[in-house]
Amino acid sequence: MSTPVSIQIEDGIAVITIDSPPVNAISAAIRRGLLAASEQLATDTSVKGVVLLCAGRTFMAGADISEFGGFMPPPELRNVLTVFESLPQPIVVALHGTALGGGVEVALAGHYRIADKGAKLGFPEVTLGIVPGAVGTQRLPRLIGAENALKMFLDGKAVGAEEAKALGLIDEVVEGDLRTAAVDYTKKLLAAGKGPRRVRDLQVAPLSEERISELRAQARKQHKGVITPELDILAVRASWELPFEQGLALERAISDGSLATPESKAMRHLFFAEREVAEVPGISKADAPRDVKRIGIIGSGTMGGGIAMAFANAGIHATLIDIDQAALERGLATVRKNYDASVKRGRMTAADVEQRMSLIVGSTSYDSLKDADLVIEAVFEDMGLKKKIFAELDRVCKPGAILATNTSTLDINLIAAATKRPQDVLGLHFFSPANVMRLLEIVRTDTTANDVVATAFALAKKIRKIGVLSKVCFGFIGNRMMDPYAREAQRMVLEGATPAQVDSALEGFGMAMGILAVFDMAGVDVGVKVRAANPDKGSPDPTFYRADQVLYGQGWLGQKSGKGYYKYEAGSRERHPHEEALKLLAEEAQKLGVARRSDISAQEVLERCIYSMINEGARILEEGVALRPGDIDVVYTSGYGFARWRGGPMFYADQIGLDTVLAGIQKYGKRFNAVDWTPAPLLVKLAAEGSSFTAWAAARAKSAS
Ligand code: 3HC
Ligand code: NAI
């Protein structure tokens, strides 16, 4: 069997090469190979120095995450590294690409470290809910100090080679051929009489309790609801409180324990789900993405402006069209204002703004789109207007140009039918603010060509978004599932819960923002207009989206008018109780005969909002609107503020058990409107079988392959 670890010995220097594409993740084969290489070199007196490096695009990107959660074949990386570190020859580890987690831990077990100038080093474990487990928490503080080490673990972000050198994490930044540089470096060490220099032998100065508290407070803000930072602190503390061997044992217990937490399972699920979304059955390499260099955007309002920024941020040229010069100038001014705000926050320089603005060119003529490879329409949500625009685009755009709509609710099949190129039409549903939000729903119509879908995925990656495929339906994946979720939140305020009660239950669960606060932020009018434009998507129940109507009727549109579900002081987003609204909502409840209650618990809020959302998710799966439960989870965690540590609504449902979800839905079905609470057939089936969405998806994938 071929091993991903090989040794070449030349002039007394052994070069260990790890070669396991795509990212040299530290699998059992690598661990075995590295152990065997270390054992071989330990007794080879002809070898005077050792180099360890990786082939391919990157140094080791960490442990093989797919091994976590099941049986992990021996040997353990931590034990391999003890043998590796003990080699009698000086070891130079040469890093390139993204050296992450276990990859950096391997480097720390070496005696000297050099890195290519483009290399990045980091510990992203916190984003997976795990504590480094290959002695990183004991070696890193010894090398770069407890504070810097803890910051790296808590932050989870990688540092560049120069910064790593400044921290003392690496000894030298090099350019050119890395292998040559590493061998030369080793020869220089040998010539200077330098031998092994083991990190385990260094001492760590303790970090003060005050500083630990400050870092803890920062980490809690950055990783809300997650226990990992606390565990990181515990492990790093051992680096100065305990001898190395005992620290190692403690780290092992903490790290192994972290792997078993629900939050770690959830975040690892998302790691793979985020990579699986781009796999679309039926689309192969033969469906090569079309070349997209020039973008056209119709409508320079909230979405059009944000979309133009998303492209400009990725260095892509965009022509922004609006109905007349005044509207266009307003749109461009907003784009500039948004960029200027980023400068004020220190996120970019004035020169960056000019460079990006130079990529966005305004126009009022559709003819300026004749060279565009892709046009995204973002005008008012009006089918007649959109159809007219698509017919016009069909006329001016070159053959093969892709025509996309950013519609939130309209039937894109009908929009595609307004053109003579329905195969080139699809939905690209961005989320507001479009230059910030990671999610992009790629909405395929009945006629969208495979290579157009492939182009959309490629483009999403280019503009650093995460594309998720949806079929056409009202609200696509995200908004369709938000419908019952918001419906219940609005009903509960009619029944007597305060908006703060509803939102704090949701935020306590892990939503970034409660749904009623979201309505206030987005504008209460937005939802009301969507309802008005889609009368057939309502419910016979008069309480359906009634709270929005009550507020809208008073002109209480949320933050922009200072009043909505909450009250706001000018220029502030801080929520205050809006007593007038509460009074009016109580009166409305009375008119509708809704019984007022004072016993709506946080648990009831969660069950009604989250279970109803999951139920709709089950329908979406059954109808094939979303390809996989993981796709829905990615939509919710990257576009709707669903806590990553919960893994997304479908993963969460699996964790609590589909029978629990179904029982909740049946309970509320009996109590309230049975139509709204009809359980999805897939949910009923899987609950009866004691199965899960994950198992259902795995079985389907197996039968398709
Ligand atoms: N384990 C298993 N598979 C991994 C992996 C890992 N650590 N890192 C990446 N992969 C896989 C991906 O799933 C993907 O597989 P696919 O092609 O079948 O979908 C493939 O490698 C390529 O990955 P990306 O699509 O993400 O490629 P990019 O070039 O966009 O990004 C990367 C490369 C920056 C290395 C990114 O993959 C990444 O961030 N990886 C995760 C790194 C990480 O979290 N490491 C820590 C692991 S935990 C650990 O080390 C614990 C330690 O203490 C023992
Ligand atoms: P907006 O009202 O802020 O902007 C619309 C822009 O289109 C205006 O600048 C208007 O002058 C321009 N316009 C109107 N007719 C035009 C025409 N014939 N030619 C060129 N420009 C024209 O609207 P917003 O919020 O940006 O929404 C645009 C689209 O994006 C809608 O379909 C909406 O449903 C969708 N959407 C909106 C989201 C949001 O949060 N605002 C989120 C996701 C999608």
Side-chain angles (χ1 to χ4, degrees), residues 21-53:
V23 297
N24 293 308
I26 310 166
S27 59
I30 291 183
R31 298 196 295 276
R32 277 196 301 272
L34 185 55
L35 181 61
S38 304
E39 285 168 349
Q40 177 191 328
L41 294 175
T43 53
D44 190 337
T45 50
S46 72
V47 171
K48 304 297 175 209
V50 176
V51 167
L52 182 138
L53 46 73

Side-chain angles (χ1 to χ4, degrees), residues 267-286:
M267 292 196 267
R268 282 184 273 129
H269 156 70
L270 286 172
F271 177 85
F272 289 111
E274 285 177 354
R275 281 154 183 84
E276 204 180 3
V277 281
E279 283 169 28
V280 180
I283 297 189
S284 66
K285 287 216 162 69

